[in-house]
């Protein structure tokens, strides 16, 4: 250390301790070290990676290069504060510092003296403390000489029995001070941090050396025991069987420790007992017994033993013949379905029919039901209600995004870490062979290089095959015919036809406003009150506020957004009650905006009508029905037809058919024949970022063009759907219920439908039918008579 640096330190510090030629200030930065104890007179290399400690080193290297190093407690992880440090450490001098390109700092530290944290000063930006230094006197008397001599003798014996370098003994011979000798041996022989820390915290040199003698005796005993074990097994070693050698060593070690070796014979007996107790099918029992016999010839330490043992656990614990008793009380089952779900009569009737057949015919195979409908209509929750009504266990397996066929069939046992597929796992989890097994989002199953999960599901969902479903891992047929499989999907188009053919399709359409209102009052409000910590007396929604919430804040087939809005209002009420502002809140149409914000949808959007060339169509989407505006404009040109709005090929063909039909009816509609040849026609469907396709907009496009060319606006509050042919016939389309519900939500009063779709209205709620005037048509001429206004636009 330079003279100038020493003078600077003297000027800055009030008091200085001295140890040899180095000066230790009373306040120094603290460097925590994990799994490392530095002793006085020890030189140690250190690598610094923590940003906080890097700053400490950088600042210390610019001042007196003096730091305190303290070991951290083993059980502590993450952020290191004073609570994680031992209280005794070592003052150290930074001899060298090297910054590496990877961002780390490498140090060479020289331990100077034992220190103790006297006062914790700061933890930011790094640890710093006021310390107490201990001046150590090295006693030179007969007792100290005896301790040194005994220590050196034991050290020599340890080095002889072990792989420690002989240079340690030479270095130790040159140390004649008991404290320094104890520190030297502790830093080089003792391996555990807590034992090194124990030596560091002994300030009396003689006591410290006495403790070193204890650890040296302990080390000699362990080394001699190891040598004894080596000699015991040496005569039994077969050089070609390394595994056998290690096993014999383990036996000898356990014998010396007085531990009894595990009796694997009793484990084999327990497995035999379990196989006898379980009511396993004959073929399964034979495989299990063969596997147990195989275990008797495999070493328990072998990895093959663990593989066979896990396989046996799966075989024994699967419910091959164990099933739960069905609740065959038809009325009670129906009451449970009524209690859990509002409406959905078609589904409830199907479940009651299944129970009725089950009651009369005991060996009836489980049906494969597929609930198809938009999100939020209760498909998944309905599966739980069915399980509750039947008195069966329920298991849900999500298929969304599944690409690996092994998730269904399992992995073969030849692979490391192989396991059964999710079908078998679900059966084992339920503990019965006849649960209600829900395969959620079956329309979103993928396919890639790992196989086709949809193809693997063919065997699972085929009542004629699944009585002998074979998982690749088990390699044994398992009877799935008692399982009641329920699948859910938003659309059917993406489900492979072969898989779709094995399922009974039950469509769940969207809810009407009245149905939503009942569901909200009976189920959703109560659920959100509980989830937000409220009582029933704390919050009250008026009927009109709920209706407004449904009609003007959400526009969906299901109820998920309605539930979110009720949850939003409940949270705001919970805050008011928690702040002591009130104990009860009544939510009405007047204060609804206070809790939910401004309305998002308006039923007045149909008042945009009255403009020639604009019609309203009805569309089906995977999330329910929607109204669709179709706009037509004509500009001077050469008869070109331009279609925009992300239209699919089928919808473009419908527009071409509608355009051709109108040209054939031009004279009857009073349209000049040269109008088509002298005009460029542009048909646009707004929401241009959303792809649209299908033939059901055919009559809507034709009506929009007829309005444009005849200069007659379309009647207000009128929507339509249907496919058009070149001859003007109106063909039936799908998704009628969803489209009618969408029209009702949008405030439409008159709907034009194909006559062939008349039977599709039977399942619509009466409250919807009473609000709408349904007009059935067979030809485009009928559509134009109904839709076009008699007055010519000005």
């Amino acid at each position: 250390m330079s003279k100038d640096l020493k003078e600077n330190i003297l000027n800055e510090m009030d008091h200085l301790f001295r140890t040899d030629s180095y000066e230790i200030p009373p306040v120094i930065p603290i460097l925590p070290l994990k799994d490392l104890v530095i002793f006085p007179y020890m030189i140690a290399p250190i690598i610094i990676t923590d940003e906080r400690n890097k700053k400490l080193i950088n600042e210390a290297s610019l001042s007196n290069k003096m730091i305190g190093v303290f070991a951290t407690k083993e059980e502590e992880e993450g952020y290191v504060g004073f609570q994680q440090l031992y209280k005794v450490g070592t003052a150290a001098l930074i001899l060298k510092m090297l910054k590496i390109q990877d961002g780390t700092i490498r140090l060479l530290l020289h331990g100077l003296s034992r220190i103790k944290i006297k006062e914790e000063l700061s933890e930011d930006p790094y640890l710093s403390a006021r310390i107490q230094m201990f001046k150590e006197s090295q006693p030179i008397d007969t007792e100290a000489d005896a301790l040194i001599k005994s220590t050196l003798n034991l050290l020599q014996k340890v080095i002889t029995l072990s792989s420690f370098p002989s240079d340690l003994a030479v270095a130790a011979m040159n140390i004649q001070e008991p404290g320094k000798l104890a520190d030297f041996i502790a830093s080089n022989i003792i391996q555990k941090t807590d034992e090194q820390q124990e030596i560091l915290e002994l300030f009396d040199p003689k006591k410290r050396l006495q403790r070193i003698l204890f650890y040296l005796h302990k080390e000699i005993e362990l080394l001699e025991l190891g040598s004894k074990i080596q000699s015991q097994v040496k005569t039994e070693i077969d050089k070609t069987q390394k595994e056998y050698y290690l096993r014999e060593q383990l036996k000898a070690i356990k014998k010396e420790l007085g531990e009894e070796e595990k009796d694997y014979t009793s484990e084999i007996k327990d497995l035999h007992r379990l196989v006898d107790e379980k009511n396993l099918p004959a073929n399964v029992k034979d495989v299990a017994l063969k596997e147990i016999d195989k275990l008797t010839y495999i070493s328990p330490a072998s990895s093959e033993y663990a593989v066979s043992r896990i396989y046996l656990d799966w075989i024994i614990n699967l419910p091959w013949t164990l099933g739960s008793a069905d609740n065959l009380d038809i009325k009670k089952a129906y009451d449970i379905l009524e209690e859990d779900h509002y409406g959905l009569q078609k589904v409830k009737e199907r479940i009651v029919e299944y129970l009725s057949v089950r009651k009369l015919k005991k060996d009836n195979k489980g049906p494969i039901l597929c609930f198809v409908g938009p999100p939020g209509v209760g498909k998944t929750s309905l599966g739980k209600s069915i399980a509750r009504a039947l008195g069966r266990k329920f298991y849900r397996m999500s298929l969304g995004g599944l690409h690996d066929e092994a998730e269904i069939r399992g992995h073969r046992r030849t692979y490391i870490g192989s396991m059964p597929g999710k079908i078998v796992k679900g059966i084992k989890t339920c503990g019965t062979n006849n649960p209600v097994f829900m395969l959620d989002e079956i329309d979103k199953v993928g396919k890639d290089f790992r196989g086709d999960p949809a193809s693997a599901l063919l065997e699972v969902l085929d009542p004629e095959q699944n009585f002998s479903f074979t998982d690749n891992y088990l390699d044994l047929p398992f009877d799935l015919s008692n399982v009641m499989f329920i699948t859910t999907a938003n659309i059917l188009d993406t489900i492979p036809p072969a898989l779709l053919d094995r399922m009974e399709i039950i469509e769940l359409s969207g809810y009407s406003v009245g149905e939503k209102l009942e569901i909200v009052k009976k189920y959703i409000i109560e659920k959100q009150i509980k989830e937000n910590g409220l009582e029933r007396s704390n919050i009250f929604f008026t009927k009109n506020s709920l209706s407004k919430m449904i009609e003007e804040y959400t526009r969906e087939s299901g109820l998920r957004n309605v539930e979110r809005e009720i949850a939003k209002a409940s949270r705001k009420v919970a805050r008011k009650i928690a702040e002591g502002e009130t104990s009860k809140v009544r939510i009405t149409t007047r204060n609804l905006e206070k809790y939910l914000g401004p309305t998002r949808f308006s039923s007045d959007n149909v008042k945009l009508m009255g403009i020639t060339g604009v019609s309203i169509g009805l569309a089906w989407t995977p999330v329910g029905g929607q109204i669709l505006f179709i706009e037509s404009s004509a500009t001077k040109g050469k008869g070109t037809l331009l279609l925009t709005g992300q239209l699919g090929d089928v919808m473009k063909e419908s527009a071409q058919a509608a355009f051709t039909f109108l040209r054939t009816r031009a004279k009857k509609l009073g349209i000049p024949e040269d109008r088509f040849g002298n005009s460029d026609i542009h048909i646009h469907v707004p929401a241009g970022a959303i792809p649209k396709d299908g033939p059901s907009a055919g009559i809507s496009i034709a009506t929009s063009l007829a309005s444009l060319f005849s200069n007659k606006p379309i009647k207000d509050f009128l929507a339509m759907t249907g496919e058009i042919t070149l001859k003007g016939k109106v063909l039936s389309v799908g998704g009628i219920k969803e489209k009618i519900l969408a029209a009702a939500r949008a405030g439409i009063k008159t709907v034009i439908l194909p006559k062939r779709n008349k039977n599709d209205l039977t399942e619509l709620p009466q409250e919807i039918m009473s609000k709408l005037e349904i007009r059935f048509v067979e030809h485009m001429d009928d559509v134009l008579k109904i839709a076009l206004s008699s007055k010519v636009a000005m």
Side-chain angles (χ1 to χ4, degrees):
M1 183 179 292
S2 65
K3 185 177 180 181
D4 294 338
L5 181 59
K6 287 183 179 180
E7 290 176 356
N8 290 336
I9 296 174
L10 288 170
N11 291 333
E12 293 177 1
M13 300 296 176
D14 295 329
H15 302 284
L16 294 172
F17 298 110
R18 296 181 180 273
T19 172
D20 297 334
S21 60
Y22 301 106
E23 301 165 343
I24 303 175
V27 176
I28 59 174
I30 304 297
L31 176 65
L33 297 178
K34 185 177 181 181
D35 299 328
L36 179 62
V37 176
I38 293 181
F39 289 85
Y41 310 102
M42 174 182 172
I43 295 178
I46 303 294
I47 297 177
I48 305 297
T49 58
D50 183 71
E51 294 299 326
R52 188 169 61 151
N53 294 334
K54 288 179 185 178
K55 187 170 183 179
L56 181 154
I57 296 302
N58 288 329
E59 293 187 10
S61 63
L62 295 175
S63 57
N64 56 11
K65 296 187 179 181
M66 197 74 65
I67 62 174
V69 288
F70 287 74
T72 60
K73 299 174 183 177
E74 290 182 357
E75 66 274 9
E76 300 294 340
E77 293 290 341
Y79 178 85
V80 177
F82 284 104
Q83 296 296 324
Q84 288 79 36
L85 297 180
Y86 288 105
K87 298 304 179 185
V88 176
T90 303
L93 180 70
I94 301 175
L95 296 180
K96 287 186 178 181
M97 181 182 75
L98 181 62
K99 294 183 179 180
I100 308 301
Q101 290 183 351
D102 61 3
T104 62
I105 298 178
R106 300 192 179 186
L107 302 176
L108 193 64
L109 297 181
H110 180 200
L112 301 178
S113 174
R114 283 173 168 78
I115 57 174
K116 187 175 183 180
I117 295 176
K118 186 176 181 181
E119 181 181 359
E120 300 170 0
L121 298 180
S122 173
E123 290 189 1
D124 185 45
Y126 47 77
L127 302 178
S128 63
R130 188 178 300 278
I131 61 166
Q132 175 184 357
M133 194 190 79
F134 297 90
K135 296 181 179 180
E136 183 171 295
S137 60
Q138 300 293 342
I140 301 176
D141 52 28
T142 304
E143 182 183 2
D145 290 339
L147 285 171
I148 292 172
K149 186 175 182 180
S150 298
T151 301
L152 292 173
N153 289 335
L154 289 178
L155 178 62
Q156 185 65 51
K157 191 172 183 179
V158 168
I159 293 173
T160 303
L161 291 172
S162 67
S163 59
F164 289 111
S166 58
D167 293 342
L168 285 176
V170 177
M173 291 290 185
N174 295 318
I175 303 175
Q176 296 301 319
E177 297 175 346
K180 290 184 178 180
L181 180 61
D183 290 345
F184 175 81
I185 295 174
S187 62
N188 288 280
I189 301 297
I190 298 176
Q191 303 296 322
K192 295 182 179 180
T193 304
D194 57 344
E195 293 176 354
Q196 288 184 329
Q197 183 66 31
E198 180 187 5
I199 299 298
L200 186 68
E201 292 179 1
L202 291 173
F203 300 104
D204 187 330
K206 291 183 180 179
K207 289 183 180 180
R208 195 185 312 155
L209 201 56
Q210 289 172 354
R211 193 60 182 168
I212 289 294
L213 284 172
F214 167 79
Y215 284 122
L216 289 175
H217 276 293
K218 181 180 176 182
E219 187 70 19
I220 290 170
E221 288 179 2
L222 291 174
L223 292 170
E224 289 177 343
L225 179 60
S227 178
K228 182 180 178 181
I229 292 171
Q230 292 286 345
S231 63
Q232 286 179 343
V233 300
K234 187 174 181 180
T235 57
E236 301 173 10
I237 294 177
D238 185 349
K239 293 182 180 180
T240 62
Q241 296 182 359
K242 184 178 180 181
E243 181 183 346
Y244 175 78
Y245 164 69
L246 295 173
R247 196 161 56 250
E248 290 300 317
Q249 273 193 321
L250 184 62
K251 287 181 181 179
I253 291 171
K254 289 186 176 181
K255 185 176 179 181
E256 288 295 332
L257 293 174
E259 296 179 3
E260 293 184 3
E261 187 178 359
K262 184 177 178 180
D263 186 5
Y264 289 98
T265 305
S266 63
E267 184 176 356
I268 300 297
K269 291 180 180 179
D270 290 340
L271 290 172
H272 274 288
R273 178 179 55 80
L274 283 172
V275 170
D276 291 336
E277 289 177 356
K278 299 283 185 178
N279 187 21
L280 302 178
N283 61 325
V284 178
K285 187 173 183 180
D286 290 342
V287 171
L289 292 175
K290 288 179 181 178
E291 200 69 25
I292 293 173
D293 292 339
K294 180 181 173 183
L295 284 178
T296 59
Y297 299 101
I298 303 176
S299 166
S302 170
S303 59
E304 189 178 352
Y305 185 93
V307 172
S308 293
R309 187 68 179 81
I310 294 172
Y311 178 67
L312 268 171
D313 285 339
W314 275 101
I315 292 179
I316 294 172
N317 293 318
L318 272 176
W320 297 92
T321 57
L322 181 63
S324 58
D326 281 342
N327 170 30
L328 298 179
D329 186 338
I330 308 300
K331 187 177 184 305
K332 183 179 179 182
Y334 186 80
D335 290 342
I336 290 174
L337 293 173
E338 283 285 305
E339 179 184 337
D340 290 351
H341 286 270
Y342 180 84
L344 304 177
Q345 294 304 317
K346 187 176 179 180
V347 181
K348 294 174 183 176
E349 287 174 8
R350 179 63 185 87
I351 302 305
V352 171
E353 289 168 3
Y354 168 76
L355 285 175
S356 302
V357 175
R358 185 81 176 176
K359 188 172 184 177
L360 301 176
K361 190 172 181 288
K362 302 297 183 183
D363 60 344
N364 183 45
K365 295 179 180 178
I368 313 297
L369 303 180
C370 181
F371 297 151
V372 182
V377 295
K379 299 186 296 296
T380 303
S381 61
L382 190 58
K384 295 180 181 179
S385 297
I386 291 172
R388 181 168 167 245
L390 293 173
R392 295 189 182 189
K393 295 290 184 68
F394 177 78
Y395 187 84
R396 175 185 170 273
M397 174 183 171
S398 178
L399 298 178
L402 190 70
H403 287 78
D404 192 352
E405 183 180 337
E407 294 288 335
I408 306 297
R409 289 190 178 277
H411 299 83
R412 298 191 183 279
R413 291 175 62 198
T414 53
Y415 296 102
I416 296 174
S418 58
M419 292 294 285
K422 289 187 176 181
I423 300 295
V424 171
K425 286 181 181 178
I427 298 293
K428 183 185 177 185
T429 301
C430 292
T432 62
N433 65 359
N434 64 339
V436 173
F437 206 109
M438 173 161 279
L439 301 172
D440 220 357
E441 309 290 357
I442 197 170
D443 57 326
K444 296 175 180 61
V445 175
K447 179 172 67 172
D448 61 13
F449 65 93
R450 290 168 290 186
D452 184 4
S455 298
L457 286 170
L458 292 176
E459 183 183 0
V460 176
L461 300 180
D462 191 342
E464 301 301 323
Q465 298 182 48
N466 64 10
F467 66 90
S468 60
F469 171 72
T470 302
D471 185 274
N472 288 332
Y473 179 81
L474 296 179
D475 200 22
L476 289 168
F478 190 93
D479 186 2
L480 296 178
S481 61
N482 294 318
V483 179
M484 184 174 186
F485 285 102
I486 298 175
T487 64
T488 70
N490 296 130
I491 56 175
L492 297 176
D493 298 348
T494 57
I495 303 176
L499 185 58
L500 190 62
D501 184 60
R502 285 161 169 78
M503 298 183 290
E504 179 181 342
I505 308 301
I506 298 178
E507 295 186 359
L508 281 72
S509 302
Y511 296 106
S512 66
V513 174
E515 289 173 330
K516 287 182 179 181
L517 193 59
E518 291 298 323
I519 294 171
V520 167
K521 289 192 294 185
K522 288 186 176 182
Y523 305 104
I524 295 179
I525 291 178
E526 293 295 333
K527 177 183 175 182
Q528 290 303 321
I529 285 175
K530 291 180 181 178
E531 290 190 358
N532 289 284
L534 299 172
E535 298 291 339
R536 194 67 186 89
S537 59
N538 296 142
I539 185 171
F540 177 77
F541 292 88
T542 64
K543 183 178 179 180
N544 290 337
S545 68
L546 293 175
S547 297
K548 184 176 181 180
M549 187 187 302
I550 293 168
E551 293 180 353
E552 299 184 21
Y553 284 86
T554 63
R555 187 61 57 86
E556 58 178 345
S557 297
L559 290 153
R560 285 183 180 166
N561 287 326
V562 176
E563 185 169 359
R564 291 188 184 104
E565 297 300 326
I566 291 176
K568 182 179 180 180
S570 300
R571 289 193 300 271
K572 292 186 181 297
V573 171
R575 178 182 175 180
K576 284 190 172 186
I577 294 174
E579 292 176 348
E581 184 178 334
T582 184
S583 62
K584 183 177 181 179
V585 174
R586 180 183 175 89
I587 297 179
T588 65
T589 54
R590 293 183 178 180
N591 63 5
L592 191 60
E593 288 193 13
K594 177 181 177 183
Y595 294 94
L596 303 183
T599 58
R600 300 180 183 87
F601 303 97
S602 174
S603 59
D604 294 335
N605 53 10
V606 294
K607 291 183 180 179
L608 296 171
M609 294 293 91
I611 304 172
T612 58
V614 180
S615 66
I616 298 180
L618 297 173
W620 178 92
T621 71
V623 295
Q626 288 185 354
I627 63 170
L628 205 65
F629 287 90
I630 298 172
E631 301 174 350
S632 300
S633 292
T635 56
K636 200 169 183 179
K638 299 179 181 180
T640 304
L641 182 62
L642 176 63
L643 304 169
T644 59
Q646 279 244 52
L647 308 185
D649 291 339
V650 177
M651 197 166 182
K652 289 179 180 178
E653 290 171 359
S654 294
Q656 292 282 358
F659 186 63
T660 301
F661 167 75
L662 283 179
R663 295 189 71 170
T664 62
R665 285 289 196 276
K667 187 174 181 180
K668 186 177 180 180
L669 294 172
I671 303 172
E673 293 183 6
D674 59 348
R675 182 74 186 277
F676 294 97
N678 297 331
S679 302
D680 286 340
I681 311 302
H682 186 174
I683 300 175
H684 178 68
V685 183
I690 301 173
K692 310 165 192 72
D693 202 3
S696 62
I699 66 171
S700 304
I701 295 172
T703 306
S704 173
L705 290 171
S707 171
L708 175 69
F709 289 124
S710 65
N711 202 27
K712 293 180 180 179
I714 298 169
K715 294 177 182 176
D716 288 346
F717 303 102
L718 182 143
M720 62 194 75
T721 183
E723 181 178 357
I724 187 174
T725 69
L726 283 174
K727 301 300 181 182
K729 289 186 177 181
V730 180
L731 304 182
S732 60
V733 291
I736 293 299
K737 183 176 181 181
E738 289 82 0
K739 292 175 180 179
I740 294 295
L741 291 173
R745 284 198 301 267
I748 298 294
K749 295 180 180 179
T750 305
V751 177
I752 299 176
L753 296 178
K755 191 171 184 180
R756 295 181 184 181
N757 285 117
K758 191 171 185 178
N759 292 333
D760 293 328
L761 302 180
T762 55
E763 296 180 6
L764 282 168
Q766 186 58 38
E767 62 167 305
I768 296 295
M769 299 301 295
S770 63
K771 294 179 180 179
L772 296 174
E773 178 187 2
I774 309 295
R775 304 289 295 271
F776 296 101
V777 294
E778 292 182 287
H779 196 274
M780 192 64 210
D781 291 340
D782 302 328
V783 176
L784 298 179
K785 287 179 183 178
I786 298 170
L788 292 181
S789 176
S790 58
K791 297 181 180 180
V792 177
M794 298 301 292

